[in-house]
């Protein structure tokens, strides 16, 4: 577990460095999932937390990624910070979190983001942007100044890494590509890779 904690610490240091470099969306990562037939899809998400238990993010369970994560609970994340010429690839099983965890992280979101989550039937066709804006206004009025409750479709998920790869993209860093792997018995090992 010491190797794993070291990898998480390294990821957190890179996130801090990316913010210091002025990257406003340092926590943005591409999330790759697949349906039960193996058909892949990928999209950008925001990672809410990097913790010993894994990396936390929000999903609308009625969205395409929500269905895929429930039907085939395995995923990959890729952080990429071009100003730093760094990327980190993470693979692992995905676990839907308890309601209390979902509530806790929901209330950290900005109010506008919460209202947008209520207004959006994610991945459903809409007549136009105006219809979505009208939905947001409607929920803004409904909640007024009250706390915005978590929408029942929005849940926290956690990717539990079994592979973490730190892959600097600059050619001047020829010997710094490192992969951490968890074996079936739960032990971690580190490998240095050719770029």
């Amino acid at each position: 577990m010491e190797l794993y904690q070291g990898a998480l610490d390294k990821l957190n240091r890179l996130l801090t460095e990316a913010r210091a470099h002025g990257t406003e969306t340092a926590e943005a990562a591409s999330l790759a999932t697949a349906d039960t037939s193996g058909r892949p899809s990928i999209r950008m998400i925001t990672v809410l937390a990097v913790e010993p238990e894994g990396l936390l993010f929000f999903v609308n369970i009625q969205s395409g990624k929500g269905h895929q994560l429930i039907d085939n609970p395995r995923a990959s994340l890729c952080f990429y910070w071009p100003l730093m010429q760094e990327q980190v690839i993470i693979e692992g099983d995905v676990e839907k979190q308890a309601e209390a965890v979902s509530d806790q992280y929901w209330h950290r979101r900005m109010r506008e983001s919460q209202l947008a989550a209520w207004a959006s039937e994610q991945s459903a066709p809409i007549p136009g942007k105006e219809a979505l804006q009208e939905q947001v206004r409607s929920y803004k009025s409904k909640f007024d100044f009250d706390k915005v409750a978590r929408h029942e479709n929005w849940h926290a998920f956690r990717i539990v890494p079994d592979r973490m790869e730190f892959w600097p993209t600059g050619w001047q860093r020829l010997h710094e590509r490192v992969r951490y792997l968890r074996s079936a018995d739960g032990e971690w090992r580190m490998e240095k890779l050719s770029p």
Side-chain angles (χ1 to χ4, degrees):
M1 288 301 285
E2 195 173 319
L3 272 177
Y4 172 60
Q5 188 57 54
L8 289 181
D9 291 345
K10 186 173 182 179
L11 174 56
N12 274 315
R13 282 195 303 274
L14 286 170
L15 284 163
T16 300
E17 190 180 337
R19 291 183 207 107
H21 273 80
T23 306
E24 292 182 18
T25 55
E27 297 83 6
S30 54
L31 172 71
T33 58
D35 62 19
T36 52
S37 66
R39 182 177 178 179
S41 61
I42 192 165
R43 79 290 285 157
M44 298 300 293
I45 64 161
T46 299
V47 174
L48 301 172
V50 178
E51 301 170 331
E53 300 82 10
L55 287 78
L56 206 66
F57 57 94
F58 254 108
V59 170
N60 181 327
I61 59 172
Q62 293 303 316
S63 68
K65 66 179 172 290
H67 288 293
Q68 289 178 342
L69 288 169
I70 289 169
D71 295 341
N72 183 13
R74 182 133 182 104
S76 180
L77 283 171
C78 180
F79 292 95
Y80 177 54
W81 305 287
L83 292 176
M84 296 166 27
Q85 295 188 318
E86 294 274 2
Q87 66 179 327
V88 180
I89 301 163
I90 295 162
E91 293 177 4
D93 293 333
V94 176
E95 300 171 350
K96 186 179 172 201
Q97 300 300 287
E99 301 286 323
V101 176
S102 295
D103 288 340
Q104 176 188 356
Y105 282 94
W106 169 267
H107 293 300
R108 291 186 188 179
R109 300 182 72 168
M110 293 189 324
R111 187 177 180 84
E112 291 302 319
S113 176
Q114 293 172 337
L115 292 169
W118 273 92
S120 171
E121 293 181 37
Q122 203 167 59
S123 302
I126 59 170
K129 185 178 177 181
E130 297 77 17
L132 188 58
Q133 289 171 333
E134 181 54 41
Q135 280 284 84
V136 170
R137 283 192 290 273
S138 169
Y139 282 109
K140 201 171 192 174
S141 173
K142 174 184 174 179
F143 287 108
D144 196 21
F145 292 104
D146 294 335
K147 184 186 282 189
V148 180
R150 179 174 60 86
H151 192 290
E152 62 184 6
N153 289 342
W154 282 85
H155 291 270
F157 280 73
R158 193 183 301 277
I159 183 167
V160 181
D162 53 36
R163 174 179 172 252
M164 297 180 70
E165 189 170 321
F166 295 83
W167 192 348
T169 57
W171 285 107
Q172 73 277 18
R173 302 179 184 188
L174 286 175
H175 304 292
E176 294 185 20
R177 186 175 168 197
V178 178
R179 179 168 60 201
Y180 297 82
L181 291 168
R182 188 181 71 205
S183 60
D185 62 5
E187 291 297 315
W188 284 83
R189 73 178 193 275
M190 183 184 76
E191 301 173 333
K192 292 189 176 181
L193 305 173
S194 174

